[in-house]
Amino acid sequence: MSLTPNRGPFSDESRPKFTTASLREQKLRHEPITCLTAYDYSTARLVDEAGIDVVLVGDSLAQTMLGYENTLSVTMDEMLHHVKAVRRGVKGALLVADMPYGSYQIDPKSALRNAARFVKEGGAEMVKIEGGEKRAELIRQIIDAEIPVAGHIGLTPQSVNVMGGYKVQGKSLTGIEQLMRDAVALDRAGVACLYLEGIPREVAAMISAEISAPTIGIGAGPECDGQVLVLHDILNLTFAPPAKFVRRYGDAAALITNAVRAFRADVRSHQYPADEESYHLPRETGAALNEVLARKRAMRR
Ligand code: KIV
């Protein structure tokens, strides 16, 4: 196996580092922000080297990487393990760590400690927190501790039990009003960007026009200041039918299955490894070994 230090086929050594300041600059320039999830070193490198602006270690790794039913089970330590791996693979992109369920809802002190762990131990440059205006004060405190925060409103998967399922939010006038209040409160609290998930396009457009923080949408239409998708969704690695907003850009499931089947078939039919895939003794050692074996055979006769 080789994971060489070269930066890969799509790497751009001259690429400027994407920072929290770049988020605002791109919004002002009307230049869409690109964001994808990554959960390990190799995919982080590929995503970063392909030029994506923001790499999110989302708590969606609970399902995509760990096979949990939803995001509620994943722990701080599990998240940190993945953030550290992604940190080693990301150079140019901004690295965002998702605060898992239970890591910020209990009390502000433990929320601050957990956010600081992502920065100090994981090397994250920003943390993401789900929830609207009720999280504004906590977000202020985390920003006061010099940690940039991304907000996340709309269909927030950590609220699955309260929402009664994964439902598009902001479809009624009261729902829209609440989302607007949430967005404005988080903007005033100072979020560096705001993830909008599972809300009508029209509402996302209103929020994006209203607040100064850039919005990054997932299932929130094209008027957001940027777009995020889950890497496993765009690569068909989720073992489930995709949501309406997912566009598949590749079929890694087919690629992996075909490669694994071909390997299995080659091993079972003695096609792998071939001679050129094998190591050989140096010529003199081979000759000496043959002599020893010949002497042994002669003694046995
Ligand atoms: O966990 C995640 O992947 C996310 C994105 C969907 C925004 O929060």
Side-chain angles (χ1 to χ4, degrees):
M1 189 187 80
S2 86
L3 282 173
T4 54
N6 83 57
R7 288 177 48 121
F10 306 111
S11 75
D12 176 2
E13 297 282 349
S14 64
R15 176 186 176 194
K17 172 81 182 100
F18 197 90
T19 64
T20 47
S22 322
L23 285 168
R24 297 242 172 189
E25 286 157 16
Q26 283 203 194
K27 175 164 181 143
L28 291 173
R29 288 201 300 265
H30 303 288
E31 210 180 300
I33 297 156
T34 57
C35 177
L36 280 174
T37 61
Y39 312 113
D40 61 19
Y41 170 75
S42 50
T43 54
R45 260 190 80 162
L46 293 170
V47 167
D48 184 62
E49 289 170 10
I52 289 294
D53 300 319
V54 182
V55 171
L56 169 67
V57 186
D59 63 351
S60 52
L61 72 80
Q63 290 125 307
T64 55
M65 298 298 286
L66 303 179
Y68 290 129
E69 197 185 322
N70 55 42
T71 59
L72 299 177
S73 317
V74 71
T75 65
M76 260 309 289
D77 286 341
E78 286 168 331
M79 287 298 297
L80 254 178
H81 175 77
H82 288 272
V83 172
K84 287 179 186 174
V86 170
R87 176 68 284 167
R88 293 188 279 268
V90 167
K91 294 210 164 56
L94 180 74
L95 177 55
V96 184
D98 217 354
M99 297 205 53
Y101 178 67
S103 71
Y104 59 93
Q105 291 91 343
I106 315 290
D107 62 78
K109 220 169 155 187
S110 58
L112 273 163
R113 191 179 314 116
N114 286 326
R117 283 190 78 194
F118 275 134
V119 174
K120 221 175 169 58
E121 298 172 43
E125 293 155 300
M126 173 149 60
V127 298
K128 177 165 85 56
I129 285 185
E130 291 187 12
E133 58 181 349
K134 67 180 174 192
R135 301 279 174 236
E137 183 43 40
L138 173 64
I139 287 173
R140 249 186 221 105
Q141 291 180 35
I142 296 176
I143 296 170
D144 269 356
E146 320 304 340
I147 301 172
V149 178
H152 183 168
I153 61 171
L155 193 173
T156 44
Q158 291 177 19
S159 320
V160 59
N161 292 329
V162 176
M163 293 184 302
Y166 298 104
K167 295 181 180 148
V168 173
Q169 302 293 298
K171 294 214 292 193
S172 64
L173 286 183
T174 42
I176 296 168
E177 247 175 63
Q178 182 60 54
L179 279 176
M180 285 305 293
R181 270 205 306 277
D182 289 337
V184 169
L186 298 190
D187 195 33
R188 288 195 183 133
V191 290
C193 63
L194 181 60
Y195 286 83
L196 301 179
E197 179 165 359
I199 65 176
R201 170 181 181 169
E202 298 79 4
V203 181
M206 276 166 54
I207 293 173
S208 304
E210 180 69 24
I211 67 173
S212 58
T215 58
I216 303 182
I218 174 162
E223 284 84 10
C224 297
D225 301 305
Q227 297 292 330
V228 56
L229 282 174
V230 169
L231 186 67
H232 285 53
D233 281 341
I234 70 170
L235 296 178
N236 187 27
L237 276 177
T238 52
F239 306 97
K244 177 187 172 99
F245 57 81
V246 170
R247 189 177 293 178
R248 290 233 154 115
Y249 288 91
D251 193 349
L255 189 80
I256 293 172
T257 304
N258 290 339
V260 170
R261 283 194 179 138
F263 167 73
R264 179 177 183 272
D266 280 355
V267 171
R268 288 176 66 87
S269 61
H270 305 277
Q271 304 288 304
Y272 178 84
D275 186 55
E276 58 280 13
E277 289 159 326
S278 307
Y279 295 110
H280 289 279
L281 284 171
R283 195 192 305 270
E284 315 77 65
T285 316
L289 179 66
N290 281 339
E291 265 177 40
V292 171
L293 292 176
R295 267 205 302 279
K296 276 196 174 162
R297 273 197 299 272
M299 279 165 65
R300 259 192 249 118
R301 271 193 227 115

